[in-house]
């Protein structure tokens, strides 16, 4: 029996709750972000593993029944943050937990990592792409300043400009301040640099509150660290610290060039300093980028860098491609459960709705066994690719920023290909959508997920569709208790939907209030004209999108005939309808 060593990773954050609902005793929490804590970054680009048991909300990570304050009833990922809806009702410590959450306290996540699940992320942290959420706790001391409670805002946020998003807020001197994503990134950069320099927490907080740009603050941190090192006595261990030295100036220069940022000097000078040689700039670039070979003079001249320019170029481009591809999904991609596939073998979608109702067992009787159907819910991932060329002159001219923009576009084409496949499953041949695990079309009449007569976008139309969603049952007529979460529309109904779901629509007259302002709007041009859909909230999704692990992938090779370089991007994915019960449409 194999034993897996697990490492506990805990993060904490302070917040003042503004999403607390007194009637349901729920509050929305930012449980985790991608800020490095204790040398580990928890990936928040998709939901972590959890269950099958409910995720508890504990008091100070005390894992016993008496200290259970509540449970998480919903999870979602937005803007690389893990968001949970916590409810404090029937747990042993529910009253104490609700009092803490309502008054404002810190939140800490309890996660377990498999021993082999970490991969290099930065000089000071490792990335955990696959991790398991074990519990969330209410604690007194925050550790992650970006993990804050949420308050409603109508300002469009990065990742989905069509929906009403929520932002993190914190309280300083009793004045509530809305932190934008750029402010959070600035804060994280400063705190991370201060920690690497060994500055006290009080000094780091002072630098955060200074309001100066992050680059300016980091220069201040370096100056303070240099002053302390220079004042240290001879032979002091501080003089032996190497972590503060740049890991690789060439790598940093290539990263800046990819991002379109200006370099302090031509890229060819960075190449020469890294040990590459050539009779002129053309030879130097060809030696570094096109052949990956280094001049033997670099050892004679004392260069000991392990950089390989071609490998750095490829690694930086591949990382950029992965980052763009794994950003928060938009449009119809938001309605698909992302599944990582190990290879190109056929994958199956299990129809969980075939789990029927519990039946009584007579004395001496036996349990009746059913079966889960997957025969008609199979799909096989296919390969997709795009090849490009860039010239030798672009490398010679340090024009890597243009190549970075090309990679952004390539990533967009891959996401568009995924969306197109989901769009075919949504409407499909004959307009009834793709085939579900039960062998019927997504919107077959037997699925009872469209009204008898078309309904229009409006309060009454949404009400009739929500009724269909809530009446969905599994085999044996077991009610599924699905809650509406999304409204999917095409560009033709976008304005109408924005007006209908707006928070600004309210009045003292109950007949004029907006009952649907909590629904999230999803807009996608693939939706046919005149159609709109209501989709259930939570983890159950109408579609499954399977991506082969490690894809998309960037490859490069030199082109001997042109002295340029060829680049290709390959992706592999497949999709299928997974659950017809979670989506209804208006006609």
């Amino acid at each position: 029996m194999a034993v897996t060593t697990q490492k506990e990773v805990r993060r904490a954050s302070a917040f003042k709750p503004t999403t607390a609902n007194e009637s349901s005793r729920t509050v929305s929490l930012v449980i985790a972000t991608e800020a490095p804590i204790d040398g580990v970054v928890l990936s928040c680009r998709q939901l972590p593993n959890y269950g099958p048991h409910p995720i508890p909300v504990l008091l100070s990570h005390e894992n016993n029944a008496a200290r259970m304050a509540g449970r998480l009833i919903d999870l979602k990922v937005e803007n690389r943050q893990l968001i949970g809806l916590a409810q404090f009702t029937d747990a042993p410590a529910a009253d104490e937990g609700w009092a803490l959450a309502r008054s404002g306290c810190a939140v800490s996540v309890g996660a377990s990592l498999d021993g082999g699940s970490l991969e290099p992320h930065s000089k000071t942290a490792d990335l955990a792409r696959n991790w398991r959420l074990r519990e969330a706790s209410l604690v007194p001391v925050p550790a992650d300043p970006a993990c804050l409670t949420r308050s409603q805002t109508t300002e469009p946020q990065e990742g989905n400009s069509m929906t009403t998003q929520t932002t993190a807020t914190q309280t300083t001197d009793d004045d509530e301040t809305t932190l934008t994503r750029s402010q959070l990134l600035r804060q994280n950069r400063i705190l991370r640099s201060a920690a690497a320099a060994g500055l006290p927490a009080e000094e780091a907080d002072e630098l955060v509150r200074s309001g100066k740009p992050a680059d300016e603050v980091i220069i201040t941190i370096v100056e303070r660290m240099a002053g302390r090192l220079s004042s240290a006595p001879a032979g002091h261990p501080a003089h032996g610290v190497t972590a503060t030295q740049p890991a690789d100036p060439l790598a940093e220069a290539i990263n800046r060039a990819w991002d379109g940022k200006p370099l302090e000097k031509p890229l060819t000078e960075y190449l020469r300093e890294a040990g590459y040689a050539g009779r002129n700039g053309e030879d130097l670039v060809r030696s570094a980028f096109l052949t990956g070979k280094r001049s033997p003079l670099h050892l004679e001249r004392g260069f000991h860098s392990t950089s390989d320019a071609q490998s750095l170029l490829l690694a930086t481009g591949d990382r950029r491609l992965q980052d763009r591809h794994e950003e928060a999904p938009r449009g119809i991609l938001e309605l698909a459960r992302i599944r990582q596939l190990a290879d190109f073998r056929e994958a199956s979608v299990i129809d969980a709705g075939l789990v029927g109702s519990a039946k009584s067992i007579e004395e001496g009787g036996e349990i009746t066994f059913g079966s889960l159907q997957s025969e008609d819910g199979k799909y096989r991932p296919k390969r997709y690719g795009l090849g490009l060329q860039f010239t030798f002159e672009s490398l010679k001219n340090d024009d890597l920023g243009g190549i970075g923009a090309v990679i952004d576009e390539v990533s967009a084409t891959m996401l568009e290909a995924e969306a197109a496949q989901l769009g075919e499953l949504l409407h499909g041949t004959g307009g009834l959508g793709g085939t579900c695990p039960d062998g019927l079309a997504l919107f077959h009449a037997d699925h009872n997920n469209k009204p008898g007569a078309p309904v229009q976008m409006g309060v009454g139309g949404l009400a009739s569709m929500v009724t269909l969603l809530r009446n969905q049952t599994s085999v044996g007529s077991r009610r599924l208790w699905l809650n509406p979460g999304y409204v999917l529309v095409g560009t033709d109904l976008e304005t109408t939907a924005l007006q209908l779901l707006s928070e600004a629509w309210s009045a003292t007259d109950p007949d004029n209030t907006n009952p649907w302002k909590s629904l999230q709007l999803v807009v996608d041009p693939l939706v046919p004209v005149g159609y709109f859909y209501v989709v259930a909230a939570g983890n159950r999704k109408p579609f499954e999108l399977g991506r082969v692990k490690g894809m998309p992938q960037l490859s490069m090779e030199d082109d001997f005939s042109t002295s340029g370089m060829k680049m290709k991007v390959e992706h592999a994915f497949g999709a299928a309808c997974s659950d017809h019960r979670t989506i209804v449409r208006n006609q």
Side-chain angles (χ1 to χ4, degrees):
M1 175 178 178
V3 178
T4 301
T5 301
Q6 295 183 331
K7 176 181 178 181
E8 291 292 324
V9 179
R10 290 177 178 171
R11 302 174 168 186
S13 63
F15 62 88
K16 177 182 179 182
T18 56
T19 55
N21 187 316
E22 294 286 348
S23 61
S24 62
R25 292 182 67 158
T26 58
V27 64
S28 184
L29 309 175
V30 179
I31 300 174
T33 71
E34 292 192 349
I37 302 295
D38 295 332
V40 176
V41 173
L42 297 179
S43 175
C44 295
R45 301 176 185 183
Q46 61 185 23
L47 287 177
N49 300 320
Y50 61 90
H53 53 75
I55 305 169
V57 178
L58 306 178
L59 300 180
S60 297
H61 293 291
E62 295 185 30
N63 190 13
N64 61 70
R67 301 296 283 172
M68 180 176 174
R71 59 178 56 88
L72 297 177
I73 61 175
D74 191 20
L75 280 175
K76 58 183 176 181
V77 170
E78 290 181 3
N79 297 329
R80 298 193 181 181
Q81 293 180 338
L82 179 62
I83 310 299
L85 183 63
Q87 185 173 48
F88 305 84
T89 52
D90 55 352
D95 292 339
E96 182 179 356
W98 176 239
L100 287 171
R102 181 178 52 186
S103 62
C105 66
V107 177
S108 175
V109 61
S112 61
L113 310 177
D114 293 336
S117 65
L118 293 177
E119 59 186 71
H121 178 70
S122 65
K123 292 182 288 185
T124 59
D126 292 326
L127 175 68
R129 288 194 182 274
N130 297 312
W131 55 282
R132 180 169 293 275
L133 177 61
R134 298 179 59 193
E135 45 89 7
S137 286
L138 306 181
V139 295
V141 181
D144 185 351
C147 283
L148 306 168
T149 191
R150 293 154 63 84
S151 63
Q152 295 297 320
T153 177
T154 57
E155 180 184 357
Q157 300 294 315
E158 181 180 352
N160 192 340
S161 60
M162 300 298 180
T163 63
T164 300
Q165 298 283 347
T166 52
T167 57
T169 62
Q170 69 175 10
T171 301
T172 304
D173 298 330
D174 296 330
D175 292 331
E176 189 172 68
T177 304
T178 300
L179 296 180
T180 65
R181 179 172 176 81
S182 61
Q183 289 172 324
L184 290 175
L185 292 175
R186 167 190 173 274
Q187 186 169 288
N188 288 338
R189 285 187 63 196
I190 294 173
L191 292 177
R192 179 174 173 178
S193 299
L199 298 186
E202 297 79 7
E203 194 170 347
D205 291 339
E206 173 194 345
L207 293 171
V208 170
R209 293 194 299 269
S210 68
K212 297 179 180 178
D215 292 340
E216 184 177 340
V217 174
I218 291 173
I219 292 175
T220 302
I221 292 173
V222 172
E223 291 175 346
R224 294 185 184 183
M225 180 183 64
R228 292 175 183 178
L229 291 178
S230 62
S231 62
H236 190 276
H239 289 290
V241 175
T242 59
T244 59
Q245 300 300 320
D248 192 333
L250 177 58
E252 294 180 0
I254 290 178
N255 277 316
R256 289 183 60 84
W258 271 112
D259 293 334
K261 298 178 181 178
L263 301 180
E264 296 178 358
K265 50 192 174 184
L267 187 59
T268 51
E269 292 191 25
Y270 289 98
L271 293 172
R272 289 191 186 278
E273 292 173 358
Y276 296 92
R279 293 169 300 176
N280 49 45
E282 285 76 7
D283 287 348
L284 183 63
V285 173
R286 183 176 291 106
S287 172
F289 286 127
L290 302 186
T291 68
K293 296 180 181 179
R294 197 185 296 238
S295 165
L297 296 177
H298 76 281
L299 292 178
E300 299 174 14
R301 298 182 179 181
F303 293 102
H304 299 290
S305 171
T306 58
S307 300
D308 183 279
Q310 189 181 45
S311 298
L312 285 173
L313 189 69
L314 176 60
T316 304
D318 195 53
R319 184 171 63 251
R320 185 185 186 100
L321 176 67
Q322 294 288 342
D323 287 343
R324 294 297 182 270
H325 194 79
E326 293 182 7
E327 289 178 351
R330 301 183 181 183
I332 196 173
L333 290 173
E334 292 188 62
L335 308 181
R337 181 175 69 91
I338 306 299
R339 177 180 173 185
Q340 294 296 324
L341 303 177
D343 47 42
F344 290 88
R345 287 179 294 183
E346 194 172 55
S348 297
V349 176
I350 300 297
D351 188 353
L354 293 180
V355 177
S357 304
K359 297 177 174 60
S360 63
I361 304 174
E362 302 298 333
E363 183 176 354
E366 296 180 348
I367 295 178
T368 301
F369 288 88
S371 62
L372 293 180
Q373 182 176 346
S374 64
E375 289 76 9
D376 294 308
K378 294 181 181 295
Y379 65 95
R380 187 184 298 274
K382 295 182 180 179
R383 295 174 60 206
Y384 297 79
L386 180 64
L388 298 169
Q389 289 182 316
F390 50 91
T391 65
F392 173 79
E393 286 77 10
S394 64
L395 294 174
K396 176 65 171 60
N397 296 334
D398 305 343
D399 191 18
L400 301 186
I403 303 172
V406 169
I407 287 184
D408 291 346
E409 288 301 310
V410 170
S411 177
T413 65
M414 298 301 171
L415 293 172
E416 185 176 328
E418 292 179 342
Q421 193 165 134
L422 294 178
E424 181 65 22
L425 293 174
L426 181 71
H427 204 62
T429 305
L432 294 180
T435 303
C436 293
D438 62 0
L440 300 178
L442 180 60
F443 294 104
H444 190 276
D446 291 352
H447 287 164
N448 195 32
N449 55 359
K450 61 178 181 177
V455 300
Q456 301 299 315
M457 174 70 73
V459 174
L462 282 180
S464 62
M465 294 174 67
V466 170
T467 299
L468 284 175
L469 184 70
R470 293 194 184 278
N471 287 336
Q472 288 293 322
T473 60
S474 67
V475 171
S477 300
R478 177 174 61 86
R479 190 176 299 277
L480 297 177
W481 294 99
L482 298 175
N483 293 316
Y486 305 88
V487 175
L488 172 65
V489 302
T491 54
D492 61 312
L493 293 177
E494 179 178 358
T495 301
T496 303
L498 283 171
Q499 294 172 336
L500 179 63
L501 304 181
S502 171
E503 286 190 347
W505 179 23
S506 60
T508 55
D509 184 353
D511 292 336
N512 293 328
T513 57
N514 181 10
W516 308 120
K517 61 184 180 181
S518 63
L519 298 184
Q520 182 174 332
L521 178 61
V522 178
V523 181
D524 199 304
L526 294 172
V527 175
V529 174
Y531 286 84
F532 64 94
Y533 307 76
V534 174
V535 183
N539 298 325
R540 297 184 65 164
K541 303 286 187 180
F543 307 112
E544 176 174 296
L545 176 64
R547 293 171 175 167
V548 174
K549 190 175 182 180
M551 296 289 188
Q553 187 176 65
L554 178 69
S555 302
M556 292 181 179
E557 66 177 16
D558 59 297
D559 187 348
F560 179 81
S561 60
T562 64
S563 293
M565 188 172 287
K566 292 181 178 180
M567 176 179 69
K568 68 176 181 178
V569 178
E570 291 184 89
H571 191 27
F573 63 88
C577 296
S578 59
D579 195 345
H580 66 269
R581 302 166 183 84
T582 61
I583 184 170
V584 297
R585 79 178 189 190
N586 66 318
Q587 55 180 300

